[in-house]
Amino acid sequence: MARIELAPEVFEDFERFLDHMAQFEVADAPERIREIIGAIQILAQHPLIGRQVRGGKRELVIGQEARGYVALYRFVTDLDTVFVLAIRSPYAAHTTSPLHAVPSTTTPKAMRYHAKGTKSWVAT
């Protein structure tokens, strides 16, 4: 089973989602974040399930319509680890660029973040 690591930017994405949902008085905002995290856990057993995009990255489509999100990630086979780099919502105002525009330098930062031993989790 692959390990799953979230880059620091993912937590910033979650905060933006919560701020956006609060602005529109969405009642189940925390549940939506739980749904995203639950969906990401599939990557522990199926790290190659997402569609391939540039730079060796993949995208996992989560939910649909107003509850739709896309997780950008990279699976590093040698480490048996999935590095989730970003989560985007095509419907939120903060989304201004496509996921594949996220710089490839994000992965090493996620790895350094993991090396510090904080904000990491393993799907069970």
Side-chain angles (χ1 to χ4, degrees):
M1 181 179 322
R3 182 178 181 89
I4 298 175
E5 296 289 332
L6 302 180
E9 294 83 2
V10 172
F11 295 96
E12 294 168 11
D13 293 337
F14 287 154
E15 288 195 22
R16 274 193 304 276
F17 297 157
L18 290 170
D19 289 346
H20 178 80
M21 288 184 267
Q23 179 182 357
F24 293 96
E25 300 178 1
V26 174
D28 64 345
E31 177 60 26
R32 290 191 187 193
I33 300 299
R34 283 190 289 275
E35 288 173 2
I36 293 169
I37 292 170
I40 289 171
Q41 290 184 16
I42 190 72
L43 297 173
Q45 292 183 335
H46 304 284
L48 301 177
I49 197 170
R51 66 180 174 192
Q52 291 183 335
V53 295
R54 290 189 287 184
K57 298 178 187 103
R58 293 180 169 273
E59 292 177 337
L60 176 68
V61 177
I62 301 168
Q64 59 188 352
E65 298 179 10
R67 290 180 173 261
Y69 299 90
V70 178
L72 179 71
Y73 71 96
R74 181 186 305 260
F75 175 56
V76 179
T77 308
D78 293 343
L79 300 175
D80 195 28
T81 302
V82 172
F83 294 95
V84 180
L85 309 172
I87 310 280
R88 296 288 183 258
S89 169
Y91 299 98
H94 67 272
T95 303
T96 58
S97 62
L99 274 176
H100 61 271
V102 173
S104 60
T105 57
T106 306
T107 299
K109 185 173 184 179
M111 288 181 194
R112 284 194 303 273
Y113 190 69
H114 164 64
K116 293 177 186 175
T118 58
K119 298 281 189 187
S120 64
W121 59 278
V122 178
T124 56

